[in-house]
Amino acid sequence: NGVIPHHIIVTSVTALTGYALAAVVGIVLGAAMAMSGRVRYFVEPLVSLAFPIPKISFMPIFILWFGLDTLPKVLMVAFNCAIPIISATYLGARGIDKYILWSARSLGTPNRKLFWKIVMPAAAPQVISGLQIAMPQALIIGIVTEMLTGGDGLGSYMIRGVRFSDSETAFAGLLAMLVTGLVYMQIATMLRRRLLRWHAEAAHAD
C-alpha cells in the first residue's frame, strides 16, 4: 500500500541530509587540522574524546535543545558521522609522502594550489574510506533516533509494530532497513570506483 516506501524515503532524507552535513564539516575540519597546528590543537582533543563514546547518548541533549522534529535527528546523524570523516581526512592528509610535497614546492606550486592539487587528491582514498565508514552509521543513527522520537521513518514504523505486538510490521521494517542499507553500501562502492579511477587501487582491483 506504499507505507514502507514512504518510511524509507523519510529515513533516507534524514540520514543523507545529516551525512552530507557531516561530509562537508568533516572534510573541512580534517584538512584544516592537517594544514594548521592551531586548528589541530583545538579540534584534536574534542575528536579524541568523542571517538570512543556512543554518540547516541547525546540524543536527550539534542531533543532538549532542538525539540522532537527532524532537526535533532539530522544533527545527531551529522555529529555521529563527522568523527570518522574528520579522522580519515586528517590521517590521509598527514600521511602524504613528503617528497611529493617537496617536489611540488620546488616547481613553484603555491600553498593554495598545493592543497587542492596535491594534498586532497593524494588523501582521497582515505577520505573516501571515511565517507564509506560513515555511510551505514548515518542509516543506523537515523533509524535509532526515529525509534526514540517517533514520527515517520523506518525506526518509528518498527517501534509501532512492536508496541502493538504486530510482528509482521516489525519484520517488514527490519527487512526494509536491511535492503536500504545494502543499497547504500552498493552505491558507496560504485562511487568509490568511479572517483578513484585514476588511482593505483583501481588498477589493482581490475
Side-chain angles (χ1 to χ4, degrees):
N1 61 4
V3 171
I4 290 180
H6 166 72
H7 290 297
I8 290 175
I9 291 172
V10 171
T11 298
S12 296
V13 169
T14 299
L16 294 178
T17 303
Y19 177 78
L21 180 60
V24 173
V25 173
I27 292 174
V28 170
L29 279 181
M33 286 172 62
M35 302 297 291
S36 171
R38 292 182 179 179
V39 176
R40 182 166 64 252
Y41 178 80
F42 178 75
V43 176
E44 189 172 21
L46 299 177
V47 174
S48 299
L49 287 173
F51 207 100
I53 64 175
K55 267 69 75 178
I56 194 64
S57 61
F58 285 85
M59 191 62 195
I61 304 300
F62 281 69
I63 293 174
L64 182 64
W65 286 350
F66 304 109
L68 292 170
D69 205 356
T70 304
L71 181 60
K73 302 175 187 177
V74 171
L75 294 178
M76 191 72 245
V77 171
F79 175 53
N80 189 88
C81 293
I83 304 301
I85 297 174
I86 291 172
S87 300
T89 304
Y90 169 69
L91 293 174
R94 291 287 291 181
I96 297 172
D97 190 345
K98 300 299 181 183
Y99 291 104
I100 297 176
L101 298 177
W102 293 342
S103 299
R105 286 196 177 102
S106 68
L107 293 172
T109 305
N111 286 333
R112 184 176 299 176
K113 287 188 176 181
L114 187 72
F115 177 76
W116 292 109
K117 299 292 185 180
I118 305 296
V119 174
M120 290 309 296
Q126 283 191 265
V127 174
I128 294 175
S129 294
L131 292 170
Q132 284 185 288
I133 292 170
M135 174 68 77
Q137 293 185 16
L139 179 62
I140 293 168
I141 297 300
I143 289 173
V144 172
T145 57
E146 290 168 353
M147 290 179 175
L148 295 174
T149 61
D152 289 339
L154 289 175
S156 302
Y157 180 74
M158 292 173 64
I159 287 296
R160 281 196 293 270
V162 172
R163 187 174 298 157
F164 293 103
S165 299
D166 185 355
S167 59
E168 291 183 359
T169 297
F171 278 101
L174 178 62
L175 180 60
M177 180 183 67
L178 294 174
V179 172
T180 303
L182 180 61
V183 171
Y184 277 23
M185 295 308 298
Q186 291 298 319
I187 292 174
T189 301
M190 291 172 57
L191 288 175
R192 181 186 184 92
R193 290 175 181 171
R194 181 175 295 274
L195 292 173
L196 295 180
R197 285 181 299 178
W198 54 272
H199 197 266
E201 77 169 43
H204 181 73
D206 293 338

